[in-house]
Amino acid sequence: PVLEFGVAAGKSVTQTLPLINNSRNSWNIRVSVEGKSFNGPQTIQVPAGGRAEYPLTFSPEWVSDVQGKLTMTIMKGDGDVDERMYELKGTGKEPIAEDKVILDCQARRPVKHVFEVPNTTNERLNFHVESDLPNISGSSNISVGPRGRGKYALTIYPNVSGIMNGSIAFVAPSGRFVWYAVELRVTAPVAETKLEISATIRKAAEVEIAVSNPLTQMMTFDVELEGEGLYGEPFLKVEPGEQRNYKFIFAPLVAGESQGAIRFFNPELGEFWYRLKLSALRPEPIVLPTIQCPIGRKTTSKITIENPVETDIELTVLSSDAMRFGIVEKRPVVKANGTATFEIWHSSTSVGERIDGEITLSSQLIGDWTYIVSGIGSTPEAMPTTVIHAPINTHLTRLIKFVNPFSRPVSVEVSMKSESKKHLSSIRIFSKKTKYVIAGNKSIQIPICFMPKAMEEYRATLILSRDEQLSWRFPIIGTSLAPVSTGLIEIKCQARKVVEKIVPLNLDSIEFEDQSKPENFRLEVSSGVDPKNAKDLWKNELIDRCITAELVEDKLVYPNKKLLLKVVFEPLRTIHAPVNFLVYKKSGGCWKFNINLVATEPEIDDAITITGKLGVSKSVAFGLKNMLEGAAKFEAFFSVDSPPEYTVRPHKGILEPEGKEPTRFVISYKPTEYGKVRAGKLIIRTNIMQWTYKIKGVNQRYMKPVVETAPLKGYLEAGREPSKKLLTRKPKKTDYLSANRKAVRSNKTYVSTREKRKAPTVSK
């Protein structure tokens, strides 16, 4: 048997050999150990019926491979002698560290440590000292007596803070060495000085620090800034023997005081730093010009806010007088790295009196904006004009709202005035009540009835008077509408094509004020979408983009009653929508024509083929950009006649414009059965544009398996030559249908000839 040992040089390892005595006599054993670095006891005794363990130790002085032999001579007490021999193999490995020394110190301050240097030989050794630690000093040699331990003092001068690992080795002339692992835990040096820096939030303060290079070569300093709102270059280069200023910026976003630091690192010149006291000051309130506000109305003043951060910010509004000052926007938001303009409104309650207030817009991320606002009330001006459209010879009622701007009740008298009695007969107050008492800051609604009798424009003014000095005037314009044309006008073309059409417009019921002069007309195009319906507002953009309309002639001369409308229809996606074309006569009157716009499916942009395996999903991907300016929301889907085996992702998202990474689409195909090729149609659509792709799914080609006949295979495996009869033998055909039919009639189960060898016959 072989016993193997392995241990680092200068260390020892011991193996125990079990000795079991099952006899009735005790054993006396003499032991002989041969081989350098092996040792153990020369004798050992094992009691009768007992056991003992022999310890064998391997202690290599240095890296080496040692051979040896262990001989045990066992005297069993009855005159019988037995001998056992073992082959010994020992490996002395590279020495491990005597210890790991951890030193806590401060940068730019020396630290001393004493290392013990052992000498395991029988002669004096002169050790040479080697180390990879930076900035150290100490003797280059140390002499240690035989079997002694020397003391070696090392001074370390760390330049920079941090954790550094290294080693120190003591090497003898023979090449033998002992060594220590060293870990330096270096804290930052004492700060050069303390700098106090202050800046108003969202504004920058520039700071300069002088850095010198006393050496004869260019030095590069790594720079580290600690603290919110500090920005600067990550390094500084200084020419030999020169001084250079390092510039950095303090640009806080949130008011308050905080601590910071700026650190300079260089392997040769070390580390130095400055402690910073950072003060972020609240900005002075912004004083806005005084707002002149007529009583009963809200007057606005615009402000602009800049967002310097990478995320959108939502602002919280706080007003010192919410009844008189506020923000028009209900949810003010400023986009990332952008600016936004908001409107501050003011509502006055007294003529000539100045009212002061304060409005603050707050963000948890970048602080507050405070505005000092003021307003002076003036006599009421004309209110916004109310426009009423009504078909000729019909009546239409509209409510006009008036809000009492005072905090106390007010009594008003209501009347209607017009420069024309004809107009006054068509625009009337639809109530017999002429006096109202309105509670403070409350409102009333006054019904107005418009009854046009001719194709012209009607004008009147609703007046609410408190007294001779204070009154509110509401201008009213009534426009007569001709009966809507019942004829269906349709303009149709394929998406991404252009069609131009001239449409005649018959202006029924037109009246010429002066038959010797022409009448002027103007055209308006409307999608008919309610501005309050946010979900359908995209249709306005679509119609504005795909249609251009103008009057061929904008004048008519009596007795001509027909205008020609030129329409250019250029859709970029499918559309089926009615559009209102309104023709206004300058002297009054409006004609409404409904034209149906139809854009059919565009041509296929591309065809994509996907080869799939039954039951396994296979995918292909492609990128797409928005051809129009800017990014656009999209939806991606398969047409209703496409097979369910096709899917696309993402279903919704943002289509990036030119100059940015294209939006990535992934199409997956998972066939569920073999058969003919199944095609689908993928549609990617924005509010304006549409892309169409034909997707063709192909199944993998089926490969018929090749089956080897069992008898022939058995012959070949056995190494025998099959007979000619076996090669030409045809399998016997069995009519299983007839056999099963007979089995049913006889109530028996048919078993094939091959299975009869294994299965018993089944009877009734």
Side-chain angles (χ1 to χ4, degrees):
V2 178
L3 300 179
E4 295 185 356
F5 296 78
V7 70
K11 305 296 180 181
S12 62
V13 62
T14 300
Q15 288 194 45
T16 57
L17 280 69
L19 301 172
I20 301 174
N21 182 4
N22 294 322
S23 68
R24 296 180 179 180
N25 300 320
S26 62
W27 292 354
N28 293 317
I29 303 174
R30 294 197 305 270
V31 183
S32 172
V33 180
E34 300 177 13
K36 187 178 180 180
S37 303
F38 291 103
N39 61 81
Q42 294 181 352
T43 61
I44 188 171
Q45 189 175 25
V46 184
R51 63 175 292 166
E53 292 183 343
Y54 179 80
L56 181 62
T57 302
F58 176 58
S59 303
E61 294 183 355
W62 194 240
V63 179
S64 60
D65 291 323
V66 182
Q67 303 288 332
K69 185 171 70 172
L70 173 67
T71 304
M72 289 185 173
T73 304
I74 305 173
M75 276 126 359
K76 298 185 176 181
D78 55 359
D80 191 10
V81 178
D82 190 12
E83 188 176 75
R84 299 179 185 177
M85 290 187 296
Y86 298 88
E87 183 181 351
L88 305 180
K89 292 183 178 181
T91 301
K93 303 178 182 179
E94 288 280 348
I96 62 174
E98 296 291 315
D99 194 6
K100 182 176 181 179
V101 178
I102 299 176
L103 300 177
D104 294 317
C105 52
Q106 188 179 41
R108 299 172 63 185
R109 285 194 176 182
V111 59
K112 292 184 179 181
H113 184 76
V114 177
F115 296 89
E116 287 192 354
V117 184
N119 180 3
T120 59
T121 66
N122 295 320
E123 57 185 16
R124 175 175 288 276
L125 294 179
N126 188 25
F127 291 94
H128 176 68
V129 183
E130 296 179 358
S131 178
D132 58 357
L133 294 170
N135 303 321
I136 60 174
S137 63
S139 177
S140 60
N141 295 282
I142 179 174
S143 180
V144 183
R147 302 293 175 181
R149 303 181 73 87
K151 303 288 186 180
Y152 180 82
L154 181 68
T155 302
I156 307 172
Y157 190 87
N159 270 346
V160 296
S161 59
I163 296 178
M164 291 174 281
N165 290 283
S167 64
I168 182 171
F170 302 92
V171 185
S174 62
R176 299 183 181 184
F177 63 88
V178 294
W179 66 285
Y180 289 85
V182 182
E183 179 178 302
L184 297 178
R185 298 177 179 177
V186 188
T187 60
V190 178
E192 300 292 318
T193 186
K194 183 176 182 180
L195 303 177
E196 295 187 2
I197 307 172
S198 62
T200 304
I201 60 172
R202 298 185 299 276
K203 292 187 178 180
E206 187 178 72
V207 184
E208 294 184 1
I209 294 179
V211 178
S212 300
N213 177 13
L215 304 182
T216 57
Q217 58 184 353
M218 185 179 71
M219 291 287 107
T220 300
F221 294 86
D222 292 328
V223 185
E224 184 179 287
L225 289 164
E226 299 177 8
E228 290 292 333
L230 295 175
Y231 306 93
E233 294 293 333
F235 61 88
L236 174 68
K237 293 184 177 181
V238 184
E239 296 294 332
E242 292 187 0
Q243 176 178 294
R244 186 176 175 187
N245 290 336
Y246 177 80
K247 297 180 181 180
F248 66 98
I249 291 174
F250 175 47
L253 295 176
V254 180
E257 291 189 352
S258 61
Q259 300 295 322
I262 178 171
R263 305 178 186 275
F264 297 87
F265 302 90
N266 181 270
E268 297 188 28
L269 296 177
E271 173 186 355
F272 59 94
W273 66 288
Y274 297 84
R275 192 184 304 277
L276 304 178
K277 180 182 179 182
L278 306 174
S279 300
L281 309 177
R282 293 182 180 275
E284 293 293 329
I286 301 171
V287 180
L288 297 180
T290 300
I291 303 174
Q292 299 290 334
C293 180
I295 300 297
R297 295 187 65 177
K298 286 184 178 180
T299 306
T300 61
S301 177
K302 294 183 178 180
I303 59 173
T304 300
I305 290 179
E306 182 179 359
N307 178 10
V309 297
E310 300 289 337
T311 57
D312 297 352
I313 58 170
E314 183 174 350
L315 302 174
T316 302
V317 181
L318 178 64
S319 175
S320 62
D321 189 348
M323 296 296 294
R324 294 176 175 84
F325 298 98
I327 297 292
V328 173
E329 290 75 15
K330 294 182 179 179
R331 185 175 172 267
V333 175
V334 187
K335 295 293 184 181
N337 294 320
T339 59
T341 300
F342 305 110
E343 289 185 311
I344 293 178
W345 62 262
H346 167 56
S347 177
S348 291
T349 57
S350 58
V351 178
E353 181 182 355
R354 177 188 172 98
I355 301 174
D356 296 317
E358 185 176 285
I359 290 181
T360 301
L361 287 83
S362 301
S363 166
Q364 294 183 351
L365 185 61
I366 58 175
D368 302 340
W369 289 263
T370 301
Y371 298 90
I372 302 298
V373 292
S374 60
I376 297 178
S378 60
T379 55
E381 295 179 354
M383 296 295 185
T385 301
T386 301
V387 179
I388 307 174
H389 294 82
I392 191 171
N393 296 321
T394 63
H395 71 274
L396 183 68
T397 302
R398 178 70 61 84
L399 297 176
I400 294 181
K401 183 179 179 180
F402 171 71
V403 180
N404 178 10
F406 305 107
S407 58
R408 59 186 183 278
V410 63
S411 176
V412 295
E413 185 174 348
V414 180
S415 61
M416 185 75 71
K417 290 185 178 182
S418 176
E419 296 179 356
S420 170
K421 292 183 179 181
K422 179 181 178 181
H423 292 185
L424 199 58
S425 64
S426 296
I427 302 178
R428 296 182 298 172
I429 300 173
F430 200 58
S431 174
K432 295 182 179 180
K433 188 175 182 180
T434 59
K435 289 187 178 182
Y436 295 86
V437 177
I438 311 169
N441 299 318
K442 298 298 181 180
S443 63
I444 61 170
Q445 292 184 329
I446 302 170
I448 302 299
C449 181
F450 174 47
M451 298 177 294
K453 300 176 182 178
M455 291 297 294
E456 60 180 282
E457 185 177 80
Y458 296 82
R459 292 178 178 268
T461 302
L462 176 67
I463 302 174
L464 283 75
S465 302
R466 190 188 71 172
D467 50 42
E468 295 181 357
Q469 296 181 348
L470 193 60
S471 62
W472 292 269
R473 306 170 71 85
F474 294 83
I476 301 172
I477 297 178
T479 301
S480 304
L481 292 178
V484 179
S485 175
T486 57
L488 179 62
I489 304 173
E490 184 177 89
I491 302 177
K492 184 177 181 180
C493 77
Q494 187 180 18
R496 303 223 289 269
K497 301 290 185 181
V498 183
V499 64
E500 182 178 316
K501 191 171 184 178
I502 301 296
V503 180
L505 305 177
N506 293 318
L507 307 185
D508 298 328
S509 304
I510 185 174
E511 295 182 2
F512 289 83
E513 291 186 353
D514 188 346
Q515 296 182 358
S516 62
K517 296 181 180 180
E519 288 284 355
N520 295 320
F521 298 87
R522 62 182 178 88
L523 177 69
E524 286 187 7
V525 182
S526 171
S527 64
V529 176
D530 186 358
K532 296 181 181 179
N533 187 1
K535 292 183 179 180
D536 291 336
L537 288 180
W538 64 271
K539 293 181 180 179
N540 290 334
E541 181 185 3
L542 173 61
I543 291 174
D544 290 342
R545 196 75 181 244
C546 71
I547 192 170
T548 303
E550 62 179 355
L551 295 173
V552 178
E553 290 287 343
D554 60 356
K555 295 180 182 180
L556 278 183
V557 180
Y558 179 82
N560 188 12
K561 297 183 179 182
K562 183 182 293 185
L563 287 173
L564 295 180
L565 174 66
K566 179 182 177 182
V567 180
V568 179
F569 185 37
E570 189 178 2
L572 297 177
R573 54 162 284 177
T574 54
I575 182 175
H576 193 291
V579 178
N580 299 327
F581 290 81
L582 304 176
V583 179
Y584 289 92
K585 187 177 69 167
K586 186 175 181 180
S587 60
C590 177
W591 288 261
K592 181 179 179 181
F593 300 90
N594 294 330
I595 298 181
N596 199 30
L597 300 179
V598 179
T600 59
E601 290 289 338
E603 295 179 355
I604 297 296
D605 289 281
D606 200 357
I608 300 174
T609 301
I610 307 176
T611 302
K613 187 177 180 181
L614 190 67
V616 179
S617 180
K618 184 68 179 295
S619 300
V620 297
F622 66 95
L624 184 64
K625 295 181 180 180
N626 186 21
M627 296 173 60
L628 305 177
E629 183 180 356
K633 294 182 180 180
F634 73 85
E635 56 178 350
F637 57 92
F638 278 92
S639 60
V640 293
D641 58 345
S642 297
E645 287 88 348
Y646 295 109
T647 58
V648 62
R649 63 180 191 273
H651 300 290
K652 295 181 180 180
I654 299 295
L655 201 61
E656 296 295 344
E658 290 291 338
K660 291 191 176 182
E661 288 294 324
T663 303
R664 183 179 175 87
F665 293 90
V666 179
I667 307 169
S668 299
Y669 171 56
K670 186 178 182 181
T672 56
E673 60 183 356
Y674 288 109
K676 65 178 183 179
V677 176
R678 309 192 70 182
K681 184 164 65 175
L682 172 64
I683 299 173
I684 301 174
R685 191 164 62 190
T686 67
N687 290 344
I688 306 298
M689 189 72 182
Q690 176 176 323
W691 294 263
T692 308
Y693 299 90
K694 183 178 180 181
I695 311 301
K696 184 179 178 182
V698 179
N699 295 334
Q700 283 186 346
R701 184 180 178 184
Y702 175 74
M703 301 297 293
K704 183 179 179 181
V706 178
V707 181
E708 296 179 351
T709 58
L712 180 60
K713 183 179 179 182
Y715 271 92
L716 295 176
E717 288 177 351
R720 292 180 290 171
E721 188 71 22
S723 66
K724 185 176 181 181
K725 182 179 179 181
L726 178 62
L727 293 174
T728 58
R729 185 178 66 185
K730 294 183 179 179
K732 183 179 179 181
K733 295 183 178 179
T734 304
D735 189 351
Y736 292 102
L737 289 177
S738 299
N740 287 333
R741 196 163 46 245
K742 292 177 181 179
V744 171
R745 292 195 187 114
S746 61
N747 198 17
K748 293 181 179 181
T749 301
Y750 175 77
V751 181
S752 66
T753 305
R754 186 176 297 173
E755 292 172 340
K756 284 181 180 179
R757 301 191 188 103
K758 301 179 182 179
T761 304
V762 180
S763 59
K764 292 184 181 178

